């Protein structure tokens, strides 16, 4: 190995480096040059010659430039892998790690004045890294943050976020990289029922179970209810929870199985004999494009009392000092 160097004030041959590698270097093992072997503000040229036993040789030259200032390394706070939904917002913050040789850290103002830093955030789809999905540049700042609003990234994809710190060192520019991977999942479909959880159907009357407000949260404009519900499939089922001796099953009472899968509502009709039963109406909402599904259910009680009426005095006619008569027929 031959080592040469240039310095702004003088030229010298650092024999200590040659001697160190002559004693310590081992083929196939990374050999770290200890601190103190190189001088600041100096450019080193390493000429390496490697020969086989058959006297076939190969040459390689490598240049190392030693800065007078410590080289900052950029890092991103948090874990290197982040899992989020398409509906989530995301904020990533990058900071420089830099300290003087004596261990003292630089203030934010001193760092900006000495290095003139700039940050570049690049977001790549891991399946297409030829061009960034988006890119953000911030200059003359100690630290940098990238904010992604909800629905910025597509679901069921993995993205590679690379932040690059550029710093100026006299006549050269140094860069440092840090990488974070984003695993973006699709948002769920959301079934909404009205009535929501429980309702009572009087005898010989009906109630409509309405799911028209259901939506796909993965669609950014789901609040307008148009695109968010255009690819949804509605599947209704009925289960008998409690049935009296005069009650009937789901098929006869509701006819749920005859409902079309694209119906956003069904009508529950109490037109049979005395029922006195509790039923569970369940909606399975699914997206026709992918496999996302979700369920919601409502309990429906069929009032068995067909004939009784209550004769209760109006509230504004009640004498609080007297006796209230309530009659049932």
């Amino acid at each position: 190995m031959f080592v040469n160097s240039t310095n702004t004030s003088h030229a010298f041959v650092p024999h200590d480096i040659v001697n160190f590698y002559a004693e310590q270097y081992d083929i196939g093992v990374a050999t770290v040059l200890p601190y103190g072997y190189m001088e600041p503000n100096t450019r080193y040229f390493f000429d390496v010659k490697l020969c086989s036993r058959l006297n076939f040789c190969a040459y390689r030259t490598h240049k190392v430039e030693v800065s007078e200032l410590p080289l900052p390394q950029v890092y991103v706070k948090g874990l290197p892998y982040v899992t989020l939904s398409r509906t989530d917002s995301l904020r990533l913050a990058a900071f420089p790690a830099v300290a003087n040789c004596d261990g003292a850290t630089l203030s934010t103002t001193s760092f900006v004045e000495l290095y003139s830093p700039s940050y570049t955030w690049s977001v790549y789809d891991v399946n297409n890294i030829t061009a960034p999905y988006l890119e953000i540049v911030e200059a003359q700042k100690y630290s940098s943050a990238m904010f992604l609003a909800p629905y910025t990234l597509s679901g069921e994809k993995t993205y590679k976020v690379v932040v690059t710190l550029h710093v100026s060192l006299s006549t050269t520019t140094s860069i440092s990289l840090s990488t974070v991977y984003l695993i973006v999942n699709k948002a769920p479909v959301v079934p909404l029922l009205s009535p929501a959880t429980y309702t009572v159907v009087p005898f010989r009357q009906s109630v409509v179970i309405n799911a028209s407000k259901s939506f796909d949260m993965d669609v950014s404009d789901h609040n307008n209810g148009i695109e968010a519900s255009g690819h949804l499939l509605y599947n209704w089922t009925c289960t008998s929870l409690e049935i009296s001796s005069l009650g009937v099953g789901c098929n006869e009472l509701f006819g749920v199985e005859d409902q079309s899968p694209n119906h956003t509502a069904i009508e529950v009709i109490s037109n049979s004999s005395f029922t006195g039963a509790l039923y569970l109406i369940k909606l399975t909402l699914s997206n026709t494009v992918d496999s996302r599904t979700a369920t919601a259910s409502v309990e429906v009680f069929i009032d068995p009392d067909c004939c009784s009426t209550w004769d209760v005095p109006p509230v504004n006619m009640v004498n609080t000092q007297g006796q209230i008569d309530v009659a049932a027929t």
Side-chain angles (χ1 to χ4, degrees), residues 152-165:
T152 300
L153 304 177
S154 300
E156 303 304 318
K157 286 189 176 182
T158 300
Y159 295 88
K160 178 181 180 181
V161 180
V162 180
V163 57
T164 306
L165 171 60

Side-chain angles (χ1 to χ4, degrees), residues 32 51 61 69 85 98 106 111 117 159 174 189 215 220 229 235-236 253 276:
V32 179
C51 298
T61 298
L69 293 172
S85 170
V98 58
L106 294 175
F111 176 80
Y159 295 88
S174 175
V189 292
F215 62 92
S220 59
S229 59
N235 183 28
W236 300 90
L253 184 63

Side-chain angles (χ1 to χ4, degrees), residues 189-212:
V189 292
V190 181
L192 296 176
L193 296 180
S194 177
T197 57
Y198 181 82
T199 188
V200 176
V201 182
F203 183 75
R204 296 188 184 278
Q205 295 187 29
S206 64
V207 64
V208 175
I209 309 298
N210 192 343
S212 61

Side-chain angles (χ1 to χ4, degrees), residues 20-34:
F20 170 81
Y21 277 108
E23 296 175 0
Q24 302 293 331
Y25 181 73
D26 188 11
I27 295 178
V29 179
T31 305
V32 179
L33 187 66

Side-chain angles (χ1 to χ4, degrees), residues 2 11 28 31 99 109 121-123 136 181 217-218 224 247 264 278:
F2 176 75
T31 305
T109 303
W121 294 87
S122 302
V123 181
I136 302 171
Y181 288 91
M217 190 178 288
D218 195 64
N224 66 25
T264 60
L278 182 65

Side-chain angles (χ1 to χ4, degrees), residues 83 106 124:
T83 301
L106 294 175
Y124 300 88

